[in-house]
């Protein structure tokens, strides 16, 4: 009996279960169960992004698939159990049977990765009308100083040889009447400078307040026509294809609406600069007539003592110089007319390049926010069936010594398990599986 129990243990015993009925994970097994189909993993959600209502939804078809998989996995274990059981029945037919093995299906929580629609904020390009300053090349008139030729009438000096009369001095004796100076005291009139009062007419500057015209910059209202984008609804008649679902059903719609971007004109009030004539106070310098007392210098006649030189007649023999006419060679400077080329200043109109600031219309690319529909991953809680084996002692081992007679199994099921699991037995056992209530 002990050898039979030891032989059954490594083959038939499934995973241990806890008090609540769930499987206990092995020590070295990963915490995240993996689907043996290889396409997806049953992983718990990392961010808690799945709704509680999605956790409680269950698909009956998915549970049937899991039941069939686990039934196939444990089928070879059941066959091995029966082979060992038959072997022990042959050798220990008369031994005491202490109990029996019973299969049990439990439901274990798992997480399945699903995709749900979401929205992602994106930036799409748009165009904005702007005005940018540009320099436009132009030509402006200007005056250039140049030199132009001209003729000037000049007089050149020319020396001409001529004969001119000259006098030659000669000495001849003669008597000369001379006068000798004699000093005589006299009184002579003189002028003495004195200061006398007088009035002088002067002009004093006076500032007079006046008003002069000036221009003042003011802001006047004006209206400017602008365009703004606006979404309007536009109807699309006829039938339109919308897409297919996961089952292959096609969806269409009739007479749908779509949004269309149009440019709607509107008027914007702005202020432009204008000039207004105003009168501003100013001061004007004027000259006012005034009289100023001054001291004028005048002369007064007085008599002063002086000496007067008088001449006394006398005769003296002298040698008188007389002149004799002679002709000597000489040069006479004459002016001859001539023309000289000169350069006089003049002005010539030329055109020089310049730049003029103008405003040019341009389009600037900007980015505006928009929403894009995307698929985001989410986690859905599902239940997958797990088949385990439990050992139950036989309360009446005298009557059930060689058979697997249990109250929860029929003879037909016992015979199918002992002879090997078939496809029909799989379908019958799956139909009796009860799924947990969500």
């Amino acid at each position: 009996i002990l050898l039979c129990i030891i032989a059954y243990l490594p083959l038939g015993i499934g995973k241990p279960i806890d008090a609540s009925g769930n499987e206990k994970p092995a020590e070295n097994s990963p915490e995240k169960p993996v689907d043996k189909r290889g396409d997806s993993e049953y992983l718990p959600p990392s961010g808690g992004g799945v709704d509680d209502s999605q956790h409680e939804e269950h698909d009956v078809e998915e549970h049937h698939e899991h039941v069939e998989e686990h039934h196939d996995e444990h089928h070879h274990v059941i066959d091995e159990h029966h082979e060992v059981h038959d072997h022990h029945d042959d050798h220990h037919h008369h031994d005491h049977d202490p109990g029996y093995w019973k299969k049990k299906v439990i439901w274990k929580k798992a997480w399945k990765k699903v995709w749900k629609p979401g929205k992602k904020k994106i930036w799409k390009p748009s165009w904005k009308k702007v005005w940018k300053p540009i320099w436009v090349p132009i030509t402006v008139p200007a005056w250039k100083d140049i030199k132009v030729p001209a003729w000037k009438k000049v007089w050149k000096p020319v020396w001409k040889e001529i004969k001119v009369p000259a006098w030659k001095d000669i000495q001849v004796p003669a008597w000369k009447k001379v006068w000798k100076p004699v000093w005589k005291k006299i009184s002579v009139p003189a002028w003495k400078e004195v200061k006398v009062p007088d009035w002088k007419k002067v002009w004093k500057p006076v500032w007079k307040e006046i008003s002069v015209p000036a221009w003042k910059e003011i802001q006047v209202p004006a209206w400017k026509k602008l365009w703004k984008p606006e979404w309007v609804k536009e109807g699309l008649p006829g039938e339109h294809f919308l897409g297919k679902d996961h089952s292959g059903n096609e969806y269409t719609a009739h007479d749908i609406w779509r949004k269309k971007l149009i440019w709607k004109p509107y008027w914007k009030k702005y202020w432009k600069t204008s000039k207004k004539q105003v009168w501003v106070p100013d001061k004007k310098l004027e000259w006012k007539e005034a009289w100023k007392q001054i001291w004028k210098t005048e002369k007064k006649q007085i008599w002063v003592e002086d000496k007067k030189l008088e001449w006394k007649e006398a005769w003296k023999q002298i040698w008188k110089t007389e002149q004799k006419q002679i002709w000597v060679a000489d040069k006479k400077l004459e002016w001859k007319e001539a023309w000289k080329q000169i350069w006089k200043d003049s002005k010539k109109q030329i055109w020089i390049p310049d730049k003029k600031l103008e405003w040019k219309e341009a389009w600037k690319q900007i980015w505006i926010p928009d929403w894009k529909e995307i698929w985001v991953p989410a986690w859905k809680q599902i239940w997958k069936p797990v088949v385990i084996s439990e050992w139950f002692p036989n309360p009446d081992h005298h009557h059930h010594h060689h058979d697997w007679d249990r109250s929860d199994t029929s003879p037909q099921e016992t015979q199918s398990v002992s002879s090997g699991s078939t496809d029909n037995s799989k379908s019958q056992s799956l139909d009796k599986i009860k799924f947990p209530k969500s």
Side-chain angles (χ1 to χ4, degrees), residues 264-309:
K264 185 177 181 180
Y266 69 97
W267 293 91
K268 181 180 179 183
K269 184 179 182 181
Y270 70 98
W271 296 91
K272 67 179 181 178
T273 305
S274 180
K275 290 188 177 182
K276 177 183 179 182
Q277 185 178 10
V278 295
W279 294 89
V280 295
D282 198 358
K283 292 190 293 183
K284 180 181 179 182
L285 186 62
E286 292 185 351
W287 295 95
K288 185 178 180 181
E289 181 180 349
W291 293 93
K292 180 181 180 183
Q293 185 180 7
I294 60 174
W295 293 92
K296 184 171 66 173
T297 303
E298 291 188 358
K299 291 184 179 182
K300 181 180 179 183
Q301 187 178 12
I302 59 173
W303 296 91
V304 296
E305 293 182 355
D306 198 2
K307 293 188 295 181
K308 181 179 180 182
L309 186 61

Side-chain angles (χ1 to χ4, degrees), residues 86-193:
D86 295 339
H87 177 73
H88 285 284
D89 288 343
D90 294 339
H91 294 281
H92 305 282
H93 183 70
H94 300 285
D95 292 342
H96 181 71
D97 186 8
Y100 60 92
W101 290 96
K102 181 179 179 182
K103 279 188 165 187
K104 182 179 180 181
V105 178
I106 64 173
W107 295 95
K108 185 176 181 181
K109 290 183 179 181
W111 296 94
K112 180 180 180 181
K113 188 175 182 181
V114 296
W115 294 90
K116 66 176 184 178
K119 288 188 176 182
K120 177 182 178 183
K121 188 176 183 180
I122 61 173
W123 295 90
K124 66 178 183 179
S126 183
W127 293 96
K128 178 182 179 183
K129 185 177 181 181
V130 296
W131 294 90
K132 61 179 182 179
I134 61 171
W135 289 103
V136 178
I138 60 172
T139 55
V140 295
W143 293 99
K144 179 181 179 182
D145 292 335
I146 59 173
K147 299 288 186 178
V148 294
W151 294 96
K152 181 181 179 183
K153 188 177 182 180
V154 296
W155 297 89
K156 293 182 179 180
V158 178
W159 292 104
K160 182 180 180 183
E161 293 183 356
I162 57 173
K163 293 288 185 177
V164 296
W167 298 97
K168 183 179 180 182
D169 293 336
I170 58 174
Q171 299 293 327
V172 294
W175 290 95
K176 180 180 179 183
K177 185 180 181 178
V178 294
W179 300 86
K180 292 180 181 181
V182 177
W183 291 104
K184 182 181 178 180
K185 291 183 179 182
I186 57 173
S187 295
V188 295
W191 298 97
K192 181 182 179 182
E193 293 183 354

Side-chain angles (χ1 to χ4, degrees), residues 179-430:
W179 300 86
K180 292 180 181 181
V182 177
W183 291 104
K184 182 181 178 180
K185 291 183 179 182
I186 57 173
S187 295
V188 295
W191 298 97
K192 181 182 179 182
E193 293 183 354
V194 294
K195 297 289 186 179
V196 293
D198 193 9
W199 292 94
K200 181 182 179 182
K201 187 177 182 181
V202 295
W203 296 89
K204 292 182 180 180
V206 178
W207 290 104
K208 182 181 179 182
E209 293 185 357
I210 60 172
S211 296
V212 294
W215 292 100
K216 179 183 178 182
E217 290 188 355
I218 60 173
Q219 299 290 329
V220 295
W223 294 91
K224 181 180 181 181
K225 188 176 183 181
L226 299 177
W227 299 85
K228 65 179 180 180
E230 183 176 345
W231 290 101
V232 298
K233 293 177 65 177
E234 181 184 14
L236 297 179
E239 183 179 2
H240 299 274
F241 177 73
L242 298 181
K244 296 182 179 181
D245 57 4
H246 62 279
S247 301
N249 299 322
E250 295 185 355
Y251 292 90
T252 59
H254 294 270
D255 299 332
I256 64 175
W257 295 88
R258 71 173 181 182
K259 292 193 295 181
K260 181 179 180 182
L261 183 64
I262 63 171
W263 292 95
K264 185 177 181 180
Y266 69 97
W267 293 91
K268 181 180 179 183
K269 184 179 182 181
Y270 70 98
W271 296 91
K272 67 179 181 178
T273 305
S274 180
K275 290 188 177 182
K276 177 183 179 182
Q277 185 178 10
V278 295
W279 294 89
V280 295
D282 198 358
K283 292 190 293 183
K284 180 181 179 182
L285 186 62
E286 292 185 351
W287 295 95
K288 185 178 180 181
E289 181 180 349
W291 293 93
K292 180 181 180 183
Q293 185 180 7
I294 60 174
W295 293 92
K296 184 171 66 173
T297 303
E298 291 188 358
K299 291 184 179 182
K300 181 180 179 183
Q301 187 178 12
I302 59 173
W303 296 91
V304 296
E305 293 182 355
D306 198 2
K307 293 188 295 181
K308 181 179 180 182
L309 186 61
E310 294 183 353
W311 298 94
K312 185 179 180 182
E313 185 179 348
W315 297 92
K316 180 182 179 183
Q317 185 181 3
I318 58 169
W319 292 93
K320 184 174 64 171
T321 302
E322 290 187 358
Q323 293 182 347
K324 181 182 179 182
Q325 186 178 8
I326 59 175
W327 295 91
V328 294
D330 197 359
K331 289 189 295 182
K332 181 183 179 182
L333 186 61
E334 293 183 352
W335 295 95
K336 184 180 180 182
E337 181 180 344
W339 294 93
K340 181 182 178 182
Q341 185 179 6
I342 60 172
W343 296 91
K344 66 177 182 179
D345 296 332
S346 181
K347 290 184 180 291
K348 178 183 179 182
Q349 186 179 8
I350 59 174
W351 295 88
I352 58 175
D354 199 358
K355 292 189 296 182
K356 180 182 179 183
L357 186 63
E358 291 184 356
W359 293 95
K360 181 181 179 182
E361 179 182 347
W363 293 93
K364 179 182 178 183
Q365 186 177 8
I366 60 174
W367 296 89
I368 58 176
D370 195 8
W371 293 98
K372 177 184 179 182
E373 293 186 356
I374 59 171
W375 293 92
V376 295
W379 293 98
K380 176 183 177 183
Q381 185 180 4
I382 61 172
W383 296 85
K384 66 176 185 176
V386 179
V387 180
I388 62 174
S389 297
E390 292 184 279
W391 174 262
F392 292 92
N394 192 354
D396 191 4
H397 58 272
H398 296 285
H399 298 282
H400 305 282
H401 182 69
H402 298 288
D403 297 330
W404 288 62
D405 189 6
R406 290 167 294 180
S407 60
D408 58 342
T409 58
S410 62
Q412 183 180 359
E413 293 179 358
T414 305
Q415 183 179 1
S416 63
V417 171
S418 62
S419 62
S421 298
T422 61
D423 295 338
N424 296 327
S425 63
K426 289 181 182 180
S427 60
Q428 293 175 3
S429 61
L430 289 176

Side-chain angles (χ1 to χ4, degrees), residues 3-99:
L3 292 176
C4 181
I5 295 173
I6 294 173
Y8 279 131
L9 285 177
L11 298 177
I13 296 178
K15 297 182 182 179
I17 59 175
D18 54 6
S20 61
N22 297 328
E23 288 185 7
K24 294 183 179 180
E27 296 180 356
N28 298 329
S29 62
E31 296 180 0
K32 302 177 181 180
V34 180
D35 190 2
K36 293 187 178 181
R37 286 175 290 181
D39 294 335
S40 62
E41 296 182 357
Y42 295 95
L43 301 179
S46 59
V50 182
D51 192 4
D52 294 336
S53 62
Q54 294 180 359
H55 291 176
E56 297 176 359
E57 295 179 358
H58 303 285
D59 192 353
V60 179
E61 295 179 2
E62 293 180 357
H63 291 306
H64 280 290
E65 291 176 2
H66 288 295
V67 171
E68 290 178 3
E69 290 178 2
H70 288 283
H71 192 276
D72 293 340
E73 291 174 5
H74 295 281
H75 180 66
H76 65 282
V77 179
I78 297 173
D79 294 342
E80 292 177 358
H81 292 176
H82 288 287
E83 290 177 1
V84 175
H85 179 70
D86 295 339
H87 177 73
H88 285 284
D89 288 343
D90 294 339
H91 294 281
H92 305 282
H93 183 70
H94 300 285
D95 292 342
H96 181 71
D97 186 8

